[in-house]
Amino acid sequence: MEQILSRFLSPDNDCTSVLALLVDELRPADARDTESARRSLQALCYILSTHPELRCGLRDCLTTLVQTHRHTELYTATGILPNSGFIVEGLHRIGHTLLPGVLDPGLLRSVLRTVFDRSSDRHWVIGVGEDAWLHLIGALRFDELPASDSLPQSLAEILGSLRVLSYWIAACGMEPELLRLHPSLENYESPFVAQNRETTAYIEAYPDNWGKPVAEDADDRHLRVLYSQCQDVIQRVRKNAARNGTSIRLTYHLQRLRQLLRRSEQLLDILAGLQADPGGASAYPPMVTLFTQLVREECLRNNLVRHWRQNTELIALRVTDNAGQHGEHYITDTREEYWSMARSAMIGGFVIAFMACLKIVLAKAEMPPLTGAIAFCLNYGLGFCLIHILHGTVATKQPAMTANAIAASISEAGGKLRNIEALTNLIARTCRSQIIAILGNVGIAIPLSALIAFAVLTISGEHFTSPEKSQHLLAEQSLIHSGALFYAAIAGACLFISGLISGYYDNYAAYNRIPERILQLGWPKRLLGEARMRRVAAYIGDNLGALAGNLLFGFLLGGTTLFGLLVGLPIDIRHVAFSSAFIGIACVGLDLAPGLWLFFWAALGVAAIGFMNLTVSFALALNVALRSREVSDAQWKTLARSVVAHLFRQPRDFFLPPKKTG
């Protein structure tokens, strides 16, 4: 390390290259080995404190870089979304990942990229802790530099960057998307515009040398109040978006505004520290905080996954909120609601029995693969829509909805759990609601499908399904004679996707004001009348997501087999309600005398299919819902322990309705 430090003493060496060598010496073999990185920094600090000439060389190198390179792009672009938009920025990151951009040698940002040139550097730079970097700054002894009355170039760069950020905040805060959800920004003075005026006054009042006293206008308290007001407006816009829908564009602008405001506050912290102590000691903590953040953002500048997560948080929250509102109807609280859910599930089982029989009829038609797949899709999709219209319930549709309802019970303020016990009770009610829904579906689907098959036998004198086909139906549901569990997991993933689709179209209807736009049509109003047209528009607004989710869920189920055929993969789906109906049909086809073991494994397979349907869809939906609310893994584990304890303490709550009161 001393040999590398000695290179800073040579005037012929390039500072950036030698600094990159020094960082390479500090970098641990495993980027997550922060203890090794911390020891290396401590060793560097010891060398600097015991060798004044090496300390002077490194300090002069850093000072030269700071004074001779432009800072503005580093402060105003690194870690801040550009104004190009979500899609364009995503394509930009893909392009720069495949073909890296050319670095401008005059930018301080280029120096940072050259020195910390590995994406994993963020782990040890942040992991060593800010105290280690503060200790390094202390070891460099910047107080040994000769005093100067003139304003340093680096400070002028910070002030210029603050001005640029202020202009961008004002422009971004007046976007039409924000004005639509917060019209008062046009009627009253916008804090986004007011902060620009205050920032200009603050910069102009800032002393141009260290000998002058700080002017009253250079006090940043009023500017910080305006930043706080801007944050309040962003929160109100988010709340309005939860009611009126949102878009990726709006989400992108809100995210960018928050980043601009946060960066402006960080620069103000540095300036305030320099005002309080011209020696710079008070400014070191915010400088280190900004430094570690800039390193992290530069290391992740082309990370597409992070870009997607950052900008879909509000979309995911809005989707899960929509699904959560519908999910509340799938969770029973009282004994009456429990039996009402059972009746609703029976309606679903009634329709599914006919859908299962129709699927067998369509399979007998031996249509071409594409035509047959479309017919299966329509059978599933229209059938599920019919169940919804008749106020029936499909048990496996519940998890994607109820998981979001559970997540909606979690505070958005940092993802903190409001009440663990109340949330545990909610999960218990959800479990018993889903169990009764499955029993309602299966309890009707099996006997009714068998009755339909028996009616066909009685009327036509021929079995609805031949003995060979009946044996095949039982084998397809068997736990050991087929890939039923894997196929059930695929169906669970389809259920999860359909839940997101439902939330998306609910958001679409609210954001684009579909009911109001329907009422603008003239010919339906003349055909149906004013009152009936209003009811139609209200129904579409309330149920567009559910109808779209059910229809597309049917297409997902019906198209999976065709997709497997096209790509040459043996994939299929298994849905508990349809599998149970097929068992009823197969038993009649075998004259109520199926093979004992085959029937046993088929019955066990149906139970496993139901479990897999529910578990996969529930786990995926709950994961998205909790992450959209920024719930940490530790909080999730706390909730899981509470649920397990409640299960052992009061198992009845998870399976049976509450006892009658009084």
Side-chain angles (χ1 to χ4, degrees), residues 363-428:
K364 288 181 178 180
E366 297 182 353
M367 292 178 284
L370 179 59
T371 306
I374 294 175
F376 290 151
C377 291
L378 291 175
N379 177 41
Y380 284 126
L382 296 179
F384 289 138
C385 288
L386 177 62
I387 292 173
H388 175 77
I389 293 172
L390 296 177
H391 303 288
T393 297
V394 180
T396 51
K397 285 288 291 179
Q398 288 179 292
M401 301 295 184
T402 53
N404 295 302
I406 291 172
S409 301
I410 299 174
S411 166
E412 293 182 30
K416 296 180 181 178
L417 303 182
R418 292 174 181 168
N419 188 317
I420 291 290
E421 188 60 31
L423 198 54
T424 302
N425 290 330
L426 177 63
I427 293 175

Side-chain angles (χ1 to χ4, degrees), residues 471-492:
Q471 289 276 37
H472 180 68
L473 285 177
L474 287 178
E476 282 187 330
Q477 322 315 320
S478 172
L479 186 61
I480 63 172
H481 295 94
S482 68
L485 280 182
F486 175 69
Y487 300 151
I490 295 176

Side-chain angles (χ1 to χ4, degrees), residues 374-565:
I374 294 175
F376 290 151
C377 291
L378 291 175
N379 177 41
Y380 284 126
L382 296 179
F384 289 138
C385 288
L386 177 62
I387 292 173
H388 175 77
I389 293 172
L390 296 177
H391 303 288
T393 297
V394 180
T396 51
K397 285 288 291 179
Q398 288 179 292
M401 301 295 184
T402 53
N404 295 302
I406 291 172
S409 301
I410 299 174
S411 166
E412 293 182 30
K416 296 180 181 178
L417 303 182
R418 292 174 181 168
N419 188 317
I420 291 290
E421 188 60 31
L423 198 54
T424 302
N425 290 330
L426 177 63
I427 293 175
R429 299 202 310 270
T430 301
C431 288
R432 68 171 179 249
S433 302
Q434 294 187 5
I435 289 173
I436 189 58
I438 290 178
L439 294 177
N441 281 168
V442 174
I444 295 297
I446 292 177
L448 182 57
S449 60
L451 183 62
I452 294 173
F454 186 75
V456 171
L457 174 61
T458 303
I459 295 172
S460 65
E462 296 182 359
H463 282 294
F464 185 58
T465 56
S466 65
E468 295 77 12
K469 176 64 175 178
S470 300
Q471 289 276 37
H472 180 68
L473 285 177
L474 287 178
E476 282 187 330
Q477 322 315 320
S478 172
L479 186 61
I480 63 172
H481 295 94
S482 68
L485 280 182
F486 175 69
Y487 300 151
I490 295 176
C494 294
L495 286 160
F496 160 69
I497 295 172
S498 71
L500 293 183
I501 291 172
S502 295
Y504 170 80
Y505 276 99
D506 278 327
N507 174 75
Y508 179 86
Y511 181 76
N512 293 282
R513 305 179 68 178
I514 297 299
E516 292 87 345
R517 292 167 66 177
I518 290 176
L519 291 175
Q520 302 300 314
L521 296 174
W523 65 268
K525 194 178 298 183
R526 293 190 297 269
L527 181 64
L528 301 176
E530 180 75 22
R532 190 175 289 108
M533 190 62 186
R534 288 189 178 277
R535 290 196 297 271
V536 170
Y539 183 84
I540 292 176
D542 292 336
N543 296 275
L544 179 62
L547 293 173
N550 280 302
L551 182 63
L552 293 176
F553 174 53
F555 273 76
L556 287 172
L557 293 184
T560 300
T561 306
L562 177 64
F563 175 77
L565 182 64

Side-chain angles (χ1 to χ4, degrees), residues 208-393:
D208 56 2
N209 63 61
W210 295 114
K212 289 185 179 181
V214 178
E216 292 184 2
D217 291 341
D219 187 353
D220 62 1
R221 285 179 295 182
H222 189 204
L223 189 53
R224 291 182 185 275
V225 170
L226 289 172
Y227 287 160
S228 177
Q229 292 177 359
C230 291
Q231 295 283 8
D232 292 340
V233 170
I234 292 174
Q235 289 301 321
R236 287 196 292 271
V237 170
R238 287 172 67 99
K239 290 181 180 179
N240 289 338
R243 293 191 303 269
N244 302 319
T246 187
S247 66
I248 290 181
R249 179 179 175 83
L250 174 61
T251 306
Y252 189 89
H253 280 299
L254 291 175
Q255 183 75 7
R256 185 167 187 263
L257 260 177
R258 291 164 62 188
Q259 293 174 346
L260 291 170
L261 289 167
R262 176 58 184 153
R263 181 60 52 79
S264 298
E265 290 176 345
Q266 289 177 317
L267 296 183
L268 274 185
D269 291 339
I270 295 174
L271 293 171
L274 292 174
Q275 286 182 3
D277 180 10
S282 298
Y284 291 161
M287 284 181 179
V288 169
T289 300
L290 180 60
F291 163 73
T292 55
Q293 179 182 340
L294 292 174
V295 171
R296 183 185 71 242
E297 296 298 336
E298 282 297 331
C299 290
L300 294 171
R301 63 186 180 274
N302 294 325
N303 191 298
L304 191 62
V305 174
R306 183 170 181 263
H307 173 65
W308 174 264
R309 287 180 177 174
Q310 280 182 331
N311 293 279
T312 54
E313 178 206 354
L314 187 57
I315 294 289
L317 188 58
R318 174 57 181 153
V319 166
T320 54
D321 277 342
N322 275 309
Q325 294 169 9
H326 293 283
E328 293 172 358
H329 303 298
Y330 290 97
I331 301 175
T332 63
D333 190 9
T334 65
R335 195 177 185 88
E336 290 74 17
E337 291 175 351
Y338 180 86
W339 293 116
S340 176
M341 172 64 70
R343 291 189 293 271
S344 176
M346 290 178 184
I347 295 174
F350 181 87
V351 177
I352 285 174
F354 284 94
M355 292 168 63
C357 293
L358 181 57
K359 181 183 178 182
I360 292 177
V361 172
L362 294 174
K364 288 181 178 180
E366 297 182 353
M367 292 178 284
L370 179 59
T371 306
I374 294 175
F376 290 151
C377 291
L378 291 175
N379 177 41
Y380 284 126
L382 296 179
F384 289 138
C385 288
L386 177 62
I387 292 173
H388 175 77
I389 293 172
L390 296 177
H391 303 288
T393 297

Side-chain angles (χ1 to χ4, degrees), residues 2-202:
E2 291 185 18
Q3 293 180 351
I4 297 176
L5 289 172
S6 64
R7 295 190 183 184
F8 289 110
L9 301 176
S10 174
D12 298 331
N13 279 321
D14 178 46
C15 272
T16 302
S17 301
V18 180
L19 196 60
L21 291 175
L22 179 60
V23 170
D24 191 53
E25 185 71 17
L26 297 173
R27 181 184 292 118
D30 181 3
R32 298 182 185 274
D33 185 6
T34 56
E35 188 58 35
S36 296
R38 191 177 295 111
R39 287 196 299 267
S40 298
L41 277 174
Q42 291 172 351
L44 175 61
C45 292
Y46 176 77
I47 294 173
L48 294 176
S49 62
T50 56
H51 296 76
E53 72 285 357
L54 299 180
R55 177 173 70 238
C56 181
L58 177 56
R59 186 177 60 220
D60 290 345
C61 170
L62 294 175
T63 304
T64 301
L65 289 174
V66 169
Q67 297 293 344
T68 58
H69 288 69
R70 301 190 303 276
H71 300 208
T72 304
E73 187 172 353
L74 180 64
Y75 301 144
T76 61
T78 298
I80 296 176
L81 296 171
N83 199 30
S84 54
F86 175 77
I87 302 297
V88 174
E89 173 61 13
L91 295 175
H92 171 83
R93 295 193 179 204
I94 294 175
H96 277 253
T97 299
L98 299 175
L99 192 63
V102 179
L103 298 180
D104 185 343
L107 296 178
L108 192 61
R109 187 185 192 186
S110 299
V111 175
L112 193 68
R113 289 185 180 182
T114 303
V115 173
F116 299 96
D117 57 343
R118 300 184 186 180
S119 61
S120 60
D121 282 339
R122 67 187 188 276
H123 297 301
W124 67 269
V125 169
I126 298 173
V128 296
E130 294 186 1
D131 289 340
W133 294 109
L134 288 172
H135 188 51
L136 176 60
I137 294 177
L140 286 168
R141 298 293 301 275
F142 283 99
D143 57 328
E144 294 178 348
L145 291 172
S148 175
D149 291 337
S150 62
L151 192 69
Q153 178 64 25
S154 58
L155 187 56
E157 292 281 353
I158 293 177
L159 291 171
S161 301
L162 188 63
R163 189 190 298 272
V164 172
L165 290 170
S166 177
Y167 285 132
W168 286 355
I169 291 171
C172 199
M174 299 304 292
E175 282 286 333
E177 293 274 355
L178 270 70
L179 298 178
R180 186 180 73 86
L181 292 173
H182 203 287
S184 62
L185 292 175
E186 289 184 305
N187 301 330
Y188 304 98
E189 185 178 32
S190 168
F192 300 105
V193 176
Q195 64 79 31
N196 178 252
R197 184 173 60 251
E198 186 66 24
T199 300
T200 302
Y202 173 83

